[in-house]
Amino acid sequence: GYYGDRGEEVLTELSVSGDGFLPKVCREWEAAAATAADLGIRVVNLRFGVILAAEGGALEKILPVFRLGVGGKLGSGRQWMSWISLPDVLRIIEFCINNTEIQGPVNVVSPQPVTNAEFTQMLTQRLHRLAIIPIPAFILRAVLGEVADAALLSSTRVLPAKLQQSIFVFDHPSLRDALQAILPA
C-alpha cells in the first residue's frame, strides 16, 4: 500500500509514497523503524505485493469463484498488480537478513507485474475455465466501499529494483511460473 494508486507509472524503491490511508500508514511504519536506523541498526523495510500461495492469501479467496467458472476481471482490468509467490517471499526475507548491504525499502514483488486482465486470463487458463463475467467497479464499490478502490481497483506497477541490483534470482519471475507451482495440474 506504500505507493497508492499510480496508474501506468513504473515504481521502484526510489519512488515517492502515494496519497491516502494505506500509504500514510506505511509511511508511519517506516518512520517508526527509522528510529532504529538513527541508532546505527540496519533497517530493511519490506514492501510486499500481493502474495500468491497454495493456501491463504488472495488466491484462497478468489479460487472458488474462478473454479466455478464465474470469475472475471475487476473493473476495467487495466489496473496493474504487483504480485509475488510465497516461496520467493521467504527467500527474499532470508536474502535480506543475510545480505548486510541491503537496507531501507525493498520491494518484495515479482519483476513482472501484470494487469488484472492478464492475471484473470492466466488464472483461468491454469484452471481450464472461462472468465466471462467481469465485475464492474461500481458493484465492487457498492459492496466493499473504499476497500474496493484501495485493494482491488488501484493500480501499482512496482518493480523490485533493489533486489535486481543485488542479483537476487526469483524462483517464479513470471505469473505463469508461479501459478504452475502453486496450482499443480
Side-chain angles (χ1 to χ4, degrees), residues 3 33 43 55 87 136 157 170 172:
Y3 300 104
V43 174
E55 295 180 11
R157 190 177 186 181
F170 290 83
H172 307 118

Side-chain angles (χ1 to χ4, degrees), residues 22-38:
L22 290 177
K24 180 178 184 251
V25 169
C26 292
R27 284 191 307 271
E28 290 175 4
W29 281 343
E30 290 189 7
T35 60
D38 293 341

Side-chain angles (χ1 to χ4, degrees), residues 77-95:
R78 292 189 305 262
Q79 64 273 27
W80 285 93
M81 175 182 159
S82 297
W83 62 274
I84 185 80
S85 72
L86 181 58
D88 277 339
V89 167
L90 300 174
R91 291 182 52 253
I92 290 167
I93 292 170
E94 181 181 28
F95 182 78

